[in-house]
Amino acid sequence: FCSDLYVLCAEQAVQMGFLEMSSECLQMYFKGRPPVNQFLGRAYLCQSQLYTPVSTDNLEQFEQFVTSLVKAVDFALGDRRYYFLIYNASVIYWRIIRPFLKPGFRNFLIPSLSQIVSALHHADEQDKDWTAELMIELLECFLDASKIEDA
């Protein structure tokens, strides 16, 4: 039985809204000694989605989401073969942070969005429009936090 199947199962379970099943699959995957391949990064991405904050009031859950997502990005930065995971992470990140894109909350996005934008610059085949869109949002975050020099 290949441990990669746990990740495939977890990804499908997340897509179908079966978060508990996804969590169990990931627990079984991480309980073993997962091989260092794309499925490790994909497992971190899947894990991050289990911590999707339901509102801006739950910053602790947002931090758990970011921690798992950044693990996937850091893993991908270690090997060019996995750079596609950086783009995937940025799409997941963008989808989940939408509730935070309002005045007073953007400042919470600065550290993680900075990491995502920086990582996207490493990708071999950059989607420059996508990266620019995230950079513009990062500028909005800095302006919202009154960090004009950093912007």
Side-chain angles (χ1 to χ4, degrees):
F1 185 71
C2 181
S3 65
D4 299 348
L5 293 176
Y6 287 126
V7 178
L8 294 172
C9 179
E11 289 173 335
Q12 289 303 308
V14 163
Q15 293 297 316
M16 296 171 62
F18 299 125
L19 302 184
E20 187 175 321
M21 181 186 294
S22 179
S23 178
E24 289 172 5
C25 289
L26 290 173
Q27 285 176 9
M28 288 186 278
Y29 176 76
F30 286 119
K31 189 181 350 179
R33 300 185 83 179
V36 179
N37 61 23
Q38 67 167 302
F39 289 97
L40 181 58
R42 289 170 62 174
Y44 289 136
L45 286 180
C46 191
Q47 185 179 53
S48 73
Q49 294 173 81
L50 297 177
Y51 300 115
T52 300
V54 291
S55 76
T56 54
D57 295 333
N58 197 338
L59 291 177
E60 183 178 314
Q61 198 166 9
F62 173 75
E63 289 300 322
Q64 289 177 310
F65 159 72
V66 168
T67 299
S68 291
L69 191 89
V70 168
K71 281 183 187 178
V73 170
D74 288 343
F75 169 77
L77 285 171
D79 189 329
R80 300 174 77 95
R81 293 179 297 170
Y82 306 134
Y83 280 2
F84 71 93
L85 292 171
I86 297 169
Y87 179 81
N88 294 358
S90 72
V91 172
I92 291 169
Y93 180 83
W94 180 252
R95 184 174 45 83
I96 290 176
I97 63 151
R98 301 294 295 244
F100 291 88
L101 297 177
K102 57 185 179 182
F105 288 94
R106 282 188 168 106
N107 61 310
F108 296 114
L109 303 176
I110 292 172
S112 54
L113 186 52
S114 295
Q115 286 181 285
I116 297 291
V117 168
S118 176
L120 282 169
H121 288 296
H122 287 75
D124 293 333
E125 296 181 26
Q126 285 184 17
D127 182 339
K128 295 186 186 323
D129 291 338
W130 175 242
T131 304
E133 188 173 336
L134 293 179
M135 288 175 75
I136 289 168
E137 193 55 51
L138 181 58
L139 287 172
E140 291 285 336
C141 292
F142 280 123
L143 294 174
D144 186 58
S146 299
K147 296 183 176 183
I148 308 301
E149 298 86 31
D150 294 331

